[in-house]
Amino acid sequence: MLKKRIITSSILICTLVYIISFSPLEFYKPLLASLVAIIIFFAGTEYAALRWNIMDKRSDKNLHTPVFLPKHYLIGSGYALPVLFIYCMTELMHQTFEKSVLFCIGWIFLCLFISAGLIYRTAVDMHTASNKFLNVAAGFIYIGIPGFCIYHLSQIHFDGAARGAQIYFCLATTFMSDIGAYFIGVKFGKHKLIPRVSPKKSVEGAVAGLFSSTAASLITASIFSLPFMSWYIVAVGVLAGIAAQVGDLIESALKRAGGYKDSGHLLPGHGGVLDRIDSLLMSIPVIYIFFLFMIK
């Protein structure tokens, strides 16, 4: 298992670093947009499967992951396509960013109209049908918005900063929060954080995660020459660390509701895509907002 985790992590890290730092400039945006869309597609598919398996009475405690059906992949594609729309409209069609966002909003409403029609048309139980529709709508907030934020964040550039500095900042701050919380929690954790959601998470680990995310934000900002004041970086690190831990707990609750160990099986040794980006889904919008305030 450890060997699989290391191999999978190495492939993912090398791919990401190549696209962000070493890919030819003309391929940087299309490659990044494609990567973000693929990640959102699989994460959205896993989210839909987690929720709909329970409502369709497919939940089975003997299964480690939910059952994936074509409709789950269709929902996942609905969450992922706005990222590609924004890239195509701004880079290929030379439309303004505002127009591309309006087009994506129209796409979201179209998806909701179609979903409502398909769900309620074949529904036997209106309560279950309403829950399914609301889960589809919630997915655009939970899965879709972070995808939009990370892509747009990657297009923002600060003078003197390295290419993709914002993405490295997001990843380092979020994952160091997870790492710090895990190792300190395992060794020193005595007080349970929210045992009904995640029995292994502790208050000590949560505090360590905040220190780790703050330290990572200061170090990353220094390495990549991000023009932020120290107090501002600390504020981003603390809030991003809190958001990352909330994201981890939310995904744990989604899995626990169906009795699943993993959200999927796409990544050997890791589980599903949603298992790997659960913290990022909450931390990315927080970091995105802070970075927008710094644009002159």
Side-chain angles (χ1 to χ4, degrees), residues 87 111-112 147 266 271 294:
Y87 165 73
C111 289
L112 293 179
L266 184 66
M294 296 301 294

Side-chain angles (χ1 to χ4, degrees), residues 236-281:
V236 178
V238 171
L239 291 179
I242 293 172
Q245 294 187 43
V246 170
D248 193 4
L249 289 169
I250 289 174
E251 203 251 351
S252 295
L254 292 176
K255 290 189 295 186
R256 187 165 291 276
Y260 300 115
K261 181 181 178 182
D262 298 317
S263 64
H265 43 69
L266 184 66
L267 304 177
H270 291 265
V273 174
L274 191 58
D275 291 321
R276 298 281 62 83
I277 68 165
D278 52 1
S279 301
L280 284 168
L281 292 177

Side-chain angles (χ1 to χ4, degrees), residues 92-285:
L92 302 182
M93 300 173 65
H94 305 292
Q95 298 293 319
T96 63
F97 178 74
E98 289 75 14
K99 285 186 178 180
S100 65
V101 171
L102 288 176
F103 183 84
C104 290
I105 293 174
W107 167 257
I108 292 172
F109 277 100
L110 177 62
C111 289
L112 293 179
F113 291 149
I114 294 174
S115 298
L118 293 176
I119 291 172
Y120 286 112
R121 183 173 180 272
T122 59
V124 177
D125 179 7
M126 286 295 111
H127 176 70
T128 300
S130 297
N131 282 339
K132 287 182 176 181
F133 174 73
L134 291 175
N135 273 273
V136 171
F140 281 103
I141 300 174
Y142 178 50
I143 305 290
I145 287 180
F148 159 80
C149 289
I150 192 65
Y151 177 72
H152 188 222
L153 185 62
S154 69
Q155 308 308 306
I156 300 171
H157 180 71
F158 294 97
D159 292 339
R163 188 177 84 175
Q166 300 92 312
I167 302 178
Y168 287 124
F169 185 93
C170 284
L171 297 176
T173 303
T174 302
F175 290 141
M176 283 308 298
S177 173
D178 291 343
I179 292 171
Y182 174 77
F183 284 104
I184 298 300
V186 168
K187 190 171 182 62
F188 301 105
K190 294 181 180 179
H191 302 87
K192 300 298 182 182
L193 186 62
I194 307 180
R196 290 191 64 184
V197 174
S198 185
K200 295 182 180 180
K201 289 181 173 58
S202 64
V203 175
E204 292 82 359
V207 173
L210 293 183
F211 277 105
S212 299
S213 64
T214 304
S217 66
L218 288 167
I219 294 171
T220 309
S222 176
I223 291 174
F224 292 101
S225 302
L226 289 171
F228 298 164
M229 292 174 285
S230 296
W231 68 266
Y232 200 81
I233 297 171
V234 170
V236 178
V238 171
L239 291 179
I242 293 172
Q245 294 187 43
V246 170
D248 193 4
L249 289 169
I250 289 174
E251 203 251 351
S252 295
L254 292 176
K255 290 189 295 186
R256 187 165 291 276
Y260 300 115
K261 181 181 178 182
D262 298 317
S263 64
H265 43 69
L266 184 66
L267 304 177
H270 291 265
V273 174
L274 191 58
D275 291 321
R276 298 281 62 83
I277 68 165
D278 52 1
S279 301
L280 284 168
L281 292 177
M282 293 292 112
S283 66
I284 285 174

